[in-house]
């Protein structure tokens, strides 16, 4: 069991795709979920902002 966990952790560290995906998720959340951007997007959709 312990070796299985270590193998999985090593696979995550070796495969940089997970790091890239995490960075993309962070960028998306900053763009759409952070409070100020979320409100700006709502206002834009409502036609209140250019």
């Amino acid at each position: 069991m312990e070796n299985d966990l270590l193998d999985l952790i090593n696979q995550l560290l070796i495969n940089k795709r997970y790091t890239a995906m995490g960075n993309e998720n962070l960028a998306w959340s900053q763009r759409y979920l952070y409070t100020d951007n979320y409100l700006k997007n709502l206002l834009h959709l409502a036609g209140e902002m250019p």
Side-chain angles (χ1 to χ4, degrees):
M1 177 75 174
E2 184 179 320
N3 287 338
D4 293 340
L5 181 58
L6 291 175
D7 288 341
L8 290 172
I9 291 170
N10 283 328
Q11 286 177 12
L12 288 174
L13 293 173
I14 290 169
N15 189 347
K16 300 294 184 191
R17 187 173 66 93
Y18 291 99
T19 303
M21 183 173 43
N23 290 334
E24 291 171 10
N25 288 342
L26 176 61
W28 183 90
S29 69
Q30 289 172 336
R31 189 176 310 120
Y32 295 106
L33 298 180
Y34 278 30
T35 305
D36 57 337
N37 289 336
Y38 182 79
L39 294 175
K40 287 177 189 175
N41 288 332
L42 286 177
L43 292 172
H44 177 74
L45 290 173
E48 300 294 325
M49 283 184 68

